[in-house]
Amino acid sequence: MGLEFQKDLLMASEEIIPANEKKATVSKLQERLLKKLGTSAFPFTLELPKSSPPSVTLRPKNETEGKPCGVEYSLRVFIGDSQDEKPHKRNSVTLGLRIIQFAPSKNGRQPCTVVRRDFVLSPGELELEMSLDKQVFHHGESIPVNMTILNKSNKTVKKISATIQQCIDVCLFDHGTYKTTVASLETTEGCPLAPGSSFSKTFTVTPSIQSASPDRRGLALDGRMKDEKCDLASTTLMVNPDERDSFGIIVTYAVKVKLFLGALAGELVGELPFIFMHPKPNPRKLEHNDSVNVEAFRQDTEDFGSQDNP
């Protein structure tokens, strides 16, 4: 329809000068920047709430369709007589930011499930047991899916498929929930699995942007910024489920195994959720990063609209 909807939230605000003229804690990175920028630079630290939602961008079908849907952050610094003064392009500068959640240090319980199916007109049942080695996986890591099939029915398993699904919930809409396949595998190994037989196998799948269909719109990325390589969006972790609306977009992942029994017998499906995130960086390695480049950027002309400050 050509309509746009945007909700602006003020997550953090602070007066830099003169409130921060007194001596404050300065990081090593800020110390190196002060030496390069001179005495006119004023270091400051702005802390976001711990419940801040991570940056997420939904990939549009066509890059020329306009601004993609998602959750994004920007840091605005302006000069004025008071904090309540409205910023404009003549007295302000804007910096795009990306907020990323890191994986928890503990792997948690090992995901496992057992699904069974019986048949109305046939005796016995078909059983599928699934498990993962751990609950938390990192970007770029392969996911081994352990599977055991016990065929106690008189049906025959003809094909097996394993997929990694990205589940996206757009909280702004009542029916904004959908799934996208980010890795898939099909095999006939061990098939046909005749009645009374069993089969055990470990399949390895690796979720990635390249594995997802390039024509599939709505793939969740981790807050894509211009001309920058990005990964799939990480799993959204919420301390309080009641705050889901403030997150805007919630992303989860699950492994789905499907057993194909033929056109008349149908399928048997099992799913296992898991956590897919970036590993927490080592702070000691960050301290030794001494390469700091100061670049001059073009001043973008941006018209700031009104904000809804919570």
Side-chain angles (χ1 to χ4, degrees), residues 69-304:
C69 177
V71 178
E72 60 181 17
Y73 288 83
S74 62
L75 173 64
R76 297 174 180 174
V77 180
F78 70 95
I79 300 173
D81 295 330
S82 65
Q83 284 184 297
D84 299 330
E85 184 175 334
K86 181 181 177 181
H88 50 81
K89 59 185 179 181
R90 294 184 300 276
N91 67 349
S92 62
V93 63
T94 304
L95 176 67
L97 302 177
R98 184 167 60 184
I99 306 299
I100 299 176
Q101 286 183 333
F102 295 117
S105 56
K106 297 181 179 181
N107 284 328
R109 294 183 178 181
Q110 181 183 11
C112 60
T113 186
V114 177
V115 291
R116 299 180 179 90
R117 180 184 173 185
D118 53 5
F119 304 89
V120 178
L121 302 177
S122 302
E125 63 181 9
L126 181 64
E127 179 180 302
L128 170 63
E129 180 180 350
M130 297 171 50
S131 66
L132 302 177
D133 294 342
K134 55 185 180 179
Q135 186 183 27
V136 180
F137 292 89
H138 299 153
H139 287 271
E141 188 176 0
S142 298
I143 301 176
V145 183
N146 309 311
M147 180 194 66
T148 300
I149 305 173
L150 297 177
N151 191 1
K152 302 176 183 178
S153 67
N154 60 358
K155 303 295 182 181
T156 301
V157 179
K158 299 182 178 181
K159 187 172 62 174
I160 304 170
S161 73
T163 60
I164 303 293
Q165 291 191 331
Q166 184 188 69
C167 309
I168 303 171
D169 184 7
V170 183
C171 303
L172 296 176
F173 312 111
D174 293 335
H175 303 285
T177 303
Y178 61 95
K179 298 180 180 180
T180 300
T181 299
V182 293
S184 61
L185 180 149
E186 280 193 4
T187 181
T188 56
E189 184 178 354
C191 299
L193 187 63
S197 303
S198 63
F199 177 70
S200 296
K201 181 69 176 179
T202 298
F203 297 104
T204 301
V205 286
T206 305
S208 65
I209 298 179
Q210 292 74 21
S211 301
S213 174
D215 298 330
R216 175 67 178 178
R217 63 189 304 173
L219 184 68
L221 309 177
D222 63 347
R224 180 178 182 181
M225 300 184 73
K226 186 177 180 181
D227 298 332
E228 184 174 349
K229 183 181 178 181
C230 59
D231 296 314
L232 293 171
S234 300
T235 300
T236 305
L237 298 181
M238 294 184 295
V239 178
N240 186 4
D242 296 335
E243 298 177 351
R244 63 183 302 276
D245 290 340
S246 63
F247 275 70
I249 299 175
I250 298 175
V251 181
T252 56
Y253 288 87
V255 178
K256 184 176 181 180
V257 173
K258 184 181 295 186
L259 307 182
F260 296 88
L261 308 176
L264 299 178
E267 305 165 348
L268 177 62
V269 181
E271 289 191 19
L272 270 181
F274 66 94
I275 298 175
F276 188 58
M277 304 185 72
H278 290 280
K280 190 173 183 179
N282 189 347
R284 295 182 178 180
K285 292 184 179 180
L286 296 178
E287 290 178 359
H288 297 293
N289 185 11
D290 294 330
S291 59
V292 179
N293 296 324
V294 180
E295 300 180 7
F297 294 91
R298 176 177 59 86
Q299 176 66 39
D300 292 331
T301 58
E302 182 175 355
D303 187 13
F304 294 98

